[in-house]
Amino acid sequence: MRRSLRPRGLIAFDKPPLSIEDLVERVQDRGLHVPDRAKARRYLQHIGYYRLSPYTIPFQNGGPDHLFREGTSFDDVLDLYAFDRALRLLVMDALERIEVAVRAALTDHMSVAYDDSHWYTDVSHFRHRGKHAGLLKIVREACDERLRGAPDAGEDVLVHRSALEHYLTTYAAPELPPSWLVVEMLTIGQLTSAYRNLRRRSDRTAIARSVGLTAPVLESWMPTYVRVRNICAHHGRLWNVGLGVYPAIPNSSTISWLKDADALPDRSRKRLYPVLVSLQSVLASVSPHSGWARRLHELLSTRSPMNLRGMGVPENWAGDEFWSRRISDSRSQ
């Protein structure tokens, strides 16, 4: 059931565009210390005021005039921006491993279980016929678009045509490519939709088990990963953004999770922290020798309490056995 639209605002937008020089003047007038105007102009030109401005908010007094707290420097804002960028890159590293693992699990299980390389074309495997029809439409459109485009260049030892190009220009039937090629064509959102639409609980369970989860937990976590990946892919603010969708807290002892009952306070559940925990939980299954936990610890250990609060990270988070064992293990490797 689709939600109805919320009411639009009533005020007319009348903010004029400002030059880079005007923007530097604006933040200075609001109390931000800018020791090097040329540096400030350069960063505002290449990052953009709109992208950088949310990183100024934690340094402001909180009033409608957007005045900065005394002693705040432009470098403080840049440092927070650089931290968020490092956090996005680290999160994307984990998401890549997890996304690839789910793609492989989906096609491997379904293809082998039903001895059918084109299982996804069979509507009997899906709960909602309309969503299944949408999946096939996506695949057909991708195939048509590839055939309308210029041929992939080359076919030598180092340069190969895409797998889709090879299939379409080599095989006449079946019309659509095999499962293992199709799952690589889907976005993470389309992949998530295909998984959640599988009709048999046993299939969803088998796929989830391959990444160390139960079916309900994987169905919950994947939409969160779609949201987080989209933020990271578009270089958006991550550390204190409201995601709108958060991972369910697992109640199965088979799923790797925080050990201390107080390790995830209620105030942290609608922040980024449980997402970070969930990423490490899956990595424990799909990439058990990863140093991801250590790298996360190295990044967060340099940050102020303000940063940690914005992410919902408890003060002594690394002391929980869930983290401490993996941080220690990766250091000894």
Side-chain angles (χ1 to χ4, degrees), residues 20 50 86 88 100 123 138 183 205 217 221 252 259:
I20 298 297
Y50 176 77
R88 288 196 305 270
V100 168
V123 70
I138 289 168
V183 296
T205 296
V217 169
W221 289 8
S252 170
K259 302 301 181 183

Side-chain angles (χ1 to χ4, degrees), residues 114-125:
Y114 297 100
D115 191 24
D116 183 2
S117 62
H118 288 71
W119 61 269
Y120 70 91
T121 63
D122 185 349
V123 70
S124 69
H125 292 305

Side-chain angles (χ1 to χ4, degrees), residues 55-61 67-69 72 76-77 80 306:
Y55 297 94
T56 68
I57 295 174
F59 301 103
Q60 296 176 3
N61 291 323
L67 296 179
F68 287 89
R69 296 196 301 271
T72 303
D76 295 326
V77 177
L80 182 55
M306 177 267 289

Side-chain angles (χ1 to χ4, degrees), residues 5-18:
L5 294 176
R6 287 174 289 151
R8 290 290 304 264
L10 301 176
I11 301 174
F13 180 86
D14 60 357
K15 296 181 181 179
L18 299 177

